[in-house]
Amino acid sequence: MAKLQGFEFWRKTLKEARFVVAPMVDQSELAWRLLSRRHGAQLCYTPMLHAQVFVRDANYRRENLYNEVCQEDRPLITQFCANDPEVFLQAALLAQDYCDAIDLNLGCPQMIAKRGHYGAFLQDEWELLEKMGESAFNGLSDSGMNYVKMYQCSLITVHGRTKDQKGAMTGIANWEHIMAVRKAVNIPVFANGNIQHLSDVERCIQETGVQGVMSAEGNLHNPALFEECSPPVWEMAEEYLEVVKQYPPCTLSFVRAHLFKLWHHTLQIHHDLREELAKVKNLEGLAGVSKKLRLRCQEEITRGKEKEKEGGLPFPHWICQPYVRPVQKTMCQKRALEDLDATADTLSKNKQKKRSRNPNKNFSPEQKPKYIKCEQCGNPKGNKCVFNLCRGCCKKKAFKEVADCPSHGLRFKTRAEKQKAEKNAKKEEGEATKDGDATTTEEGEATETERSCSSSSPQPPSDPSIELQVQSKTPLPL
């Protein structure tokens, strides 16, 4: 059977999905995806998963995908970050039976992506991307068909921003760039950026010609966005908490983060409950704080504050509505890279502190030590590792070969020899105890034999005259 590709894949596998929940680290977990689907979302992504960790760690696979299998949560796309074709293929093969498509992240602009060499920082490595696309496309079965954002892919999502647009400088996504990509390719395109209301979705589709629209931050503040509805925050919060209870386990930090997003505008007013929400230690505590926020909002409504709006919001603060980032009046200029002779004025506060502790501290990027990579996974290897591996790979090899690595504090060989010595010592002690028991038994048997012999031999008579007669052998006078 031929693999479904392009528009056929979008129509049959993804069911012509137009309203899409974006992959969000620690935020697009099962409970949130189900809540979003109940309120209009037609397709969801998992949080971005690290392909290398997914391949080597069974617990990571269970916690982030396998344990979240749910028939209501389809169609579903699993997203990976990766920079190695073979690792990406292995991760995709392990995930393909639990989702409808596999996606490669080439859009993350964060510093962690730069350090890990993935996301938007792979966009210029065309040869690597071609290898990753071809190997995984040919290796996956039909159910894991949707592929990467380059070479032999069936769908592409365009964010409409550059990798420098992040954090406070995120700014507005450029829909013209999205439209240019849509016209240049013959596969379905999803757009992402500037989506705060359902009207934005319809306008984006009309202006760019894309097949679907993805929402991330807008969805976090209003999971009913695709219903063109702005319900009271407590309704969404309480429904989400019910889903969390229905589909455990769900990491507490995920739930807390969602409540902070949902109640964002209200928490700007009720600072005491903001502090309480940050400190509670269990799901019941989070639900309790959410209930207190609901009661305070309902008191405000009773007092007639329903028409009042805080801080220029389009609705009262207790209504689900998007969070609009403050516009930066001036663009922040990045500091030039500090050289070895950088003065205190050109260094950041953090580096000034480091220099105060170590006046000879070197901040020149060219003179920083180059880390040698692990021979197996590419992470920095241990400086004195006997296998020239990172700690994770070293631990596996040392365990398999029963070896030691003092650099990583691994003592598998030493421990095995110690256990063997203890076992031999116990064995020798047992044999010595057994020999001692045998000797004691022999001594007891000898004593018993002597007693038996003495009891069976004739005893001399007790009459002295008879005794004398026996000894003298001469007749006594009558």
Side-chain angles (χ1 to χ4, degrees):
M1 180 180 176
K3 294 181 179 181
L4 299 179
Q5 300 184 40
F7 287 96
E8 187 180 10
F9 166 77
W10 174 64
R11 285 192 295 268
K12 293 185 177 180
T13 302
L14 300 186
K15 302 176 182 178
E16 298 185 349
R18 297 171 71 237
F19 305 149
V20 186
V21 175
M24 297 174 283
V25 176
D26 297 344
Q27 295 284 264
S28 59
E29 83 287 357
L30 175 62
W32 189 259
R33 297 197 301 264
L34 292 176
L35 177 69
S36 300
R37 290 180 189 275
R38 292 180 182 182
H39 295 278
Q42 299 167 340
L43 171 66
C44 293
Y45 281 68
T46 67
M48 182 190 72
L49 306 178
H50 198 294
Q52 192 173 83
V53 181
F54 193 84
V55 169
R56 73 167 184 250
D57 192 335
N59 288 331
Y60 184 82
R61 293 195 293 271
R62 284 193 295 270
E63 293 170 2
N64 291 279
L65 185 61
Y66 294 177
N67 288 348
E68 294 194 344
V69 175
C70 176
Q71 289 302 318
E72 299 176 44
D73 189 32
R74 305 300 281 267
L76 176 69
I77 296 179
T78 299
Q79 185 185 77
F80 287 109
C81 66
N83 54 26
D84 182 277
E86 183 60 30
V87 172
F88 184 34
L89 174 59
Q90 293 177 27
L93 290 172
L94 289 169
Q96 67 175 357
D97 293 334
Y98 299 87
C99 60
D100 299 283
I102 303 296
D103 181 66
L104 176 65
N105 186 317
L106 292 177
C108 181
Q110 304 304 326
M111 185 54 64
I112 189 172
K114 184 176 182 179
R115 290 196 298 267
H117 190 221
Y118 60 80
F121 301 93
L122 291 182
Q123 289 180 358
D124 296 329
E125 301 190 30
W126 295 80
E127 184 177 349
L128 173 62
L129 293 177
E130 184 174 12
K131 289 180 180 178
M132 294 177 72
E134 288 179 350
S135 64
F137 181 88
N138 295 327
L140 288 175
S141 64
D142 292 341
S143 61
M145 190 17 240
N146 177 31
Y147 220 62
V148 301
K149 299 181 169 74
M150 284 279 190
Y151 299 103
Q152 307 225 40
C153 61
S154 288
L155 184 145
I156 182 171
T157 300
V158 185
H159 292 271
R161 294 186 176 95
T162 67
K163 60 185 177 184
D164 293 325
Q165 289 180 270
K166 56 189 175 182
M169 308 308 299
T170 298
I172 304 298
N174 191 322
W175 285 0
E176 292 183 1
H177 294 328
I178 298 175
M179 181 174 62
V181 173
R182 171 68 193 95
K183 291 180 178 180
V185 299
N186 295 318
I187 57 174
V189 175
F190 287 166
N192 180 283
N194 309 344
I195 306 301
Q196 299 176 346
H197 306 280
L198 185 61
S199 57
D200 297 327
V201 175
E202 302 295 348
R203 186 165 57 88
C204 181
I205 292 175
Q206 183 177 0
E207 292 185 14
T208 63
V210 296
Q211 280 63 48
V213 173
M214 178 183 287
S215 175
E217 197 161 271
N219 167 262
L220 291 176
H221 288 276
N222 181 12
L225 180 150
F226 292 125
E227 283 187 323
E228 197 171 11
C229 175
S230 296
V233 172
W234 60 81
E235 289 185 6
M236 292 292 97
E238 291 171 2
E239 185 177 355
Y240 170 64
L241 291 171
E242 286 300 319
V243 177
V244 169
K245 293 177 182 177
Q246 187 178 354
Y247 294 92
C250 184
T251 306
L252 192 68
S253 62
F254 297 178
V255 182
R256 192 194 313 274
H258 280 302
L259 293 181
F260 266 112
K261 292 285 187 182
L262 288 170
W263 287 108
H264 172 82
H265 300 295
T266 302
L267 291 173
Q268 306 306 308
I269 301 170
H270 301 283
H271 299 284
D272 58 326
L273 292 182
R274 181 183 182 87
E275 294 296 324
E276 188 175 344
L277 184 62
K279 293 178 180 179
V280 291
K281 303 294 185 182
N282 51 50
L283 189 61
E284 291 72 21
L286 294 175
V289 177
S290 184
K291 183 178 179 180
K292 291 179 182 179
L293 286 164
R294 172 174 63 83
L295 293 175
R296 291 195 183 182
C297 291
Q298 290 175 339
E299 287 177 6
E300 292 184 25
I301 295 173
T302 303
R303 292 198 302 268
K305 291 188 176 182
E306 187 172 1
K307 295 183 180 181
E308 294 184 11
K309 300 173 184 177
E310 301 286 342
L313 297 175
F315 305 108
H317 62 80
W318 56 79
I319 297 296
C320 287
Q321 55 194 300
Y323 166 67
V324 180
R325 296 178 182 272
V327 178
Q328 298 290 324
K329 295 182 179 179
T330 58
M331 295 292 289
C332 297
Q333 297 294 327
K334 292 184 178 180
R335 290 190 302 271
L337 293 174
E338 297 96 347
D339 56 21
L340 185 63
D341 299 324
T343 62
D345 294 335
T346 62
L347 293 176
S348 65
K349 291 182 179 179
N350 188 33
K351 289 183 178 180
Q352 290 179 37
K353 290 180 181 179
K354 290 181 180 179
R355 175 159 284 186
S356 66
R357 294 192 295 266
N358 182 8
N360 297 320
K361 181 71 176 177
N362 175 23
F363 296 111
S364 176
E366 291 77 13
Q367 299 183 27
K368 286 186 177 180
K370 303 296 182 183
Y371 294 104
I372 302 175
K373 292 184 178 181
C374 168
E375 295 178 355
Q376 293 187 4
C377 69
N379 289 327
K381 83 172 189 69
N383 289 333
K384 298 180 181 180
C385 176
V386 296
F387 299 116
N388 291 321
L389 302 175
C390 66
R391 193 179 193 285
C393 297
C394 177
K395 186 175 181 180
K396 291 180 181 179
K397 187 167 185 177
F399 177 78
K400 184 177 180 180
E401 298 183 4
V402 192
D404 287 349
C405 180
S407 173
H408 287 124
L410 303 175
R411 300 284 188 274
F412 293 110
K413 181 179 179 180
T414 303
R415 197 177 306 158
E417 291 176 348
K418 183 178 180 182
Q419 291 175 351
K420 185 177 180 180
E422 291 176 352
K423 186 177 180 180
N424 291 337
K426 288 181 180 179
K427 186 177 180 180
E428 292 175 358
E429 183 180 350
E431 291 177 352
T433 304
K434 187 176 180 180
D435 293 342
D437 292 343
T439 304
T440 304
T441 303
E442 290 175 0
E443 292 176 354
E445 291 176 352
T447 304
E448 187 65 27
T449 303
E450 291 175 0
R451 289 177 180 174
S452 299
C453 293
S454 61
S455 62
S456 60
S457 62
Q459 298 294 329
S462 59
D463 190 346
S465 61
I466 297 176
E467 181 180 359
L468 180 61
Q469 182 181 5
V470 171
Q471 291 177 353
S472 63
K473 296 183 181 180
T474 56
L476 291 176
L478 297 175

